[in-house]
Amino acid sequence: MNVLVINGHPNLDKSFANAEILRLLGQHTDWQITHAADFTNDIKAEQARLLKADVVVVQFPLYWSTFPSVMKEWIDQVFTYGFAFGPDGSQLKGKKLLFSITAGATAESYSETGFNFMPLENYQRSFEHAFKAAEMDILDTIVTFEMNAIPEEGGDVKKTIKLAHEHTVKSLLL
């Protein structure tokens, strides 16, 4: 199976959770990992990768309850009219997709009374939009909360690495 992982983390040097997940996913030599932060505006190459993939995994940390700006820029550039949407339909129609998401916050913070003001499902509509418009088949959304490794913010590196391993196992069950 040809799996394409699109990493939406802007700086893996400052990541524990996403860096570990990508390291583990990278052990599958038949999985291709690409980084939205390294996008060089070669739109045709990115589109070709998407077309070749049997399954696309979109991996990113939640930044203000959505994906980081590098992921948004990648989508804006790659999901073009005539490729991802338009009157001729989507070339990605039916392509299988898995969202693999990390969050430093707690699950409880995503509620009407929590820090994030709404359930994650409300935010999810926004980050799913481009993929649904492209008529991709969303298999699942794997979200792991409390993946904060920054001690100054109450984080725990060992717990984060453990959660990253558990998260990766769920991602591998495609």
Side-chain angles (χ1 to χ4, degrees), residues 98-148:
L98 173 74
F99 284 108
S100 173
I101 303 168
T102 61
T106 64
E108 295 78 28
S109 75
Y110 284 94
S111 67
E112 300 280 335
T113 58
F115 176 80
N116 292 297
F117 308 111
M118 293 186 285
L120 182 62
E121 293 78 26
N122 292 13
Y123 292 107
Q124 191 169 343
R125 291 182 197 149
S126 175
F127 62 72
E128 285 182 350
H129 178 81
F131 302 94
K132 283 189 172 185
E135 301 181 71
M136 296 179 80
D137 180 15
I138 300 173
L139 299 173
D140 199 359
T141 299
I142 299 168
V143 183
T144 303
F145 296 95
E146 299 184 48
M147 294 187 85
N148 176 9

Side-chain angles (χ1 to χ4, degrees), residues 10-161:
N11 186 350
L12 287 176
D13 290 340
K14 294 185 177 183
S15 170
F16 284 91
N18 287 267
E20 184 67 5
I21 290 166
L22 291 166
R23 185 187 73 75
L24 294 168
L25 293 177
Q27 292 176 353
H28 295 269
T29 56
D30 56 337
W31 288 35
Q32 181 183 9
I33 298 176
T34 186
H35 305 279
D38 296 340
F39 178 54
T40 61
N41 291 322
D42 189 346
I43 295 166
K44 294 294 182 199
E46 296 298 306
Q47 291 173 341
R49 284 186 186 130
L50 286 165
L51 291 173
K52 187 177 175 187
D54 298 312
V55 177
V56 177
V57 177
V58 179
Q59 168 65 48
F60 62 91
L62 285 177
Y63 276 26
W64 290 106
S65 304
T66 191
F67 39 68
S69 62
V70 295
M71 189 80 233
K72 172 76 166 83
E73 177 67 16
W74 183 89
I75 292 166
D76 288 349
Q77 297 299 318
V78 176
F79 278 53
T80 58
Y81 182 82
F83 174 73
F85 67 99
D88 296 327
S90 171
Q91 294 182 47
L92 300 174
K93 184 176 183 174
K95 183 79 56 183
K96 298 194 179 328
L97 174 77
L98 173 74
F99 284 108
S100 173
I101 303 168
T102 61
T106 64
E108 295 78 28
S109 75
Y110 284 94
S111 67
E112 300 280 335
T113 58
F115 176 80
N116 292 297
F117 308 111
M118 293 186 285
L120 182 62
E121 293 78 26
N122 292 13
Y123 292 107
Q124 191 169 343
R125 291 182 197 149
S126 175
F127 62 72
E128 285 182 350
H129 178 81
F131 302 94
K132 283 189 172 185
E135 301 181 71
M136 296 179 80
D137 180 15
I138 300 173
L139 299 173
D140 199 359
T141 299
I142 299 168
V143 183
T144 303
F145 296 95
E146 299 184 48
M147 294 187 85
N148 176 9
I150 303 168
E152 298 81 24
E153 296 178 6
D156 180 332
V157 173
K158 287 182 182 177
K159 177 183 176 184
T160 299
I161 297 299

